[in-house]
Amino acid sequence: MQFKPVQNFRCEAGKTHCSHMRSCDEAMYYNKYCPDTKMDGNNDGVPSERQ
């Protein structure tokens, strides 16, 4: 899966889990650029694998 950063995403306080995301692209952005996310349980770089 190729991830391309999208400029319209920005880190927002409190958005740390997959259920807070609107799309896979947003989850990928948060996982890569935002601190303290809890979306990549196995640390392979792919968030929200169970959803």
Side-chain angles (χ1 to χ4, degrees), residues 16-51:
T16 57
H17 292 87
C18 295
S19 61
H20 301 147
M21 303 297 132
R22 293 182 187 165
S23 68
C24 183
D25 285 339
E26 184 178 25
M28 294 290 282
Y29 177 89
Y30 267 78
N31 196 51
K32 186 167 184 169
Y33 297 107
C34 303
D36 303 321
T37 60
K38 296 167 178 64
M39 296 183 283
D40 186 8
N42 63 358
N43 296 313
D44 69 350
V46 179
S48 309
E49 291 164 306
R50 293 188 294 167
Q51 292 186 359

Side-chain angles (χ1 to χ4, degrees), residues 3-21:
F3 170 67
K4 297 175 186 168
V6 178
Q7 295 301 320
N8 62 347
F9 296 132
R10 61 186 168 93
C11 299
E12 295 177 32
K15 290 181 83 172
T16 57
H17 292 87
C18 295
S19 61
H20 301 147
M21 303 297 132

